[in-house]
Amino acid sequence: MRAETRVSGMDSLLGKLKLALESAVEGMSEEQLRWHPPEKWCAAEVLEHLYLTYTGTVKGFERVLQTGKPMVSRASMRQHMRACVVLGLGHMPSGRKAPKHSVPRGLAVEKVKAEVGLKIAAMDEIIGECEARFGHGKVLDHPILGPLTAAQWRKFHWVHGRHHAKQIESLRRQEGREITSS
């Protein structure tokens, strides 16, 4: 891997994810992070959603290490098709409801903003541990995409996080227009 794509020894996709999210929220005040159009999440909630997905992934991989073996089932046709879209095409479909465990709960904005990068680093580390221990086969089920390899988990988080970083950037632009037109 090229050195410039790595962030503090992190996998290149997860390193790019960390940088993309930091860039998306850089300089945003709490008021800006909390602004949202009707019926939509604010940037703080989008960031919290990501934080919760990273926390969930870390917990899942911790269970894999504790059991001493991959925790995978057989993928359904629907999961296989979804995985092809997200992992193969690099496209995160819009308008999907987030799984219950990743719906924002109102965590403190500053906590989430300060710790999201740490969660990505922790996720990178534990995914790497499982990959070193169990190889390149399927290691853990994703709740929507089914069984994934460590590399596929990294790709999922890159595609998912990039999708949401773009949402945050869009919210930032919309919020700026709202304030100037008021």
Side-chain angles (χ1 to χ4, degrees), residues 16-71:
K16 287 194 312 190
L17 169 61
K18 182 178 181 294
L19 293 174
L21 292 175
E22 287 171 353
S23 175
V25 299
E26 186 176 2
M28 289 180 78
S29 67
E30 186 164 342
E31 179 184 2
Q32 290 171 313
L33 287 163
R34 293 246 177 245
W35 180 89
H36 61 91
E39 308 297 319
K40 298 287 185 184
W41 284 353
C42 64
E45 289 169 319
V46 171
L47 202 60
E48 182 181 349
H49 162 71
L50 292 170
Y51 176 90
L52 293 170
T53 66
Y54 306 152
T55 300
T57 297
V58 168
K59 288 179 182 176
F61 276 91
E62 284 173 345
R63 286 192 308 274
V64 168
L65 288 175
Q66 288 169 356
T67 63
K69 62 182 182 183
M71 297 174 61

Side-chain angles (χ1 to χ4, degrees), residues 31-32 35 171-182:
E31 179 184 2
Q32 290 171 313
W35 180 89
L171 285 166
R172 174 184 251 174
R173 287 189 302 273
Q174 290 175 48
E175 187 266 345
R177 285 194 302 267
E178 279 286 316
I179 288 176
T180 57
S181 65
S182 296

